[in-house]
Amino acid sequence: MTYATDRLHEEIAYVAYHFHWSLEEILDLEHHDRRRYAGEIASLVTRAGAED
């Protein structure tokens, strides 16, 4: 099974936007590591929004 291209682009954009990492750095991550970073960023964003 391949990972959906649209989903991959969303994860790359999300991590790049928040961490300012290059495309190469993000693509060098293993799939599960990239998903985990995206999840952790989402948690931080959600918590920050709740504090406002």
Side-chain angles (χ1 to χ4, degrees):
M1 175 190 273
T2 60
Y3 198 57
T5 303
D6 289 343
R7 182 67 181 153
L8 176 61
H9 286 150
E10 288 173 10
E11 288 177 6
I12 290 168
Y14 198 62
V15 173
Y17 177 80
H18 288 281
F19 283 176
H20 309 283
W21 291 354
S22 70
L23 176 61
E24 293 78 24
E25 290 171 310
I26 297 167
L27 290 176
D28 281 344
L29 295 170
E30 294 290 330
H31 171 76
H32 65 274
D33 291 332
R34 190 179 55 252
R35 292 281 302 140
R36 179 147 187 199
Y37 279 117
E40 293 297 328
I41 292 167
S43 293
L44 292 170
V45 169
T46 300
R47 276 187 280 179
E51 293 173 0
D52 289 340

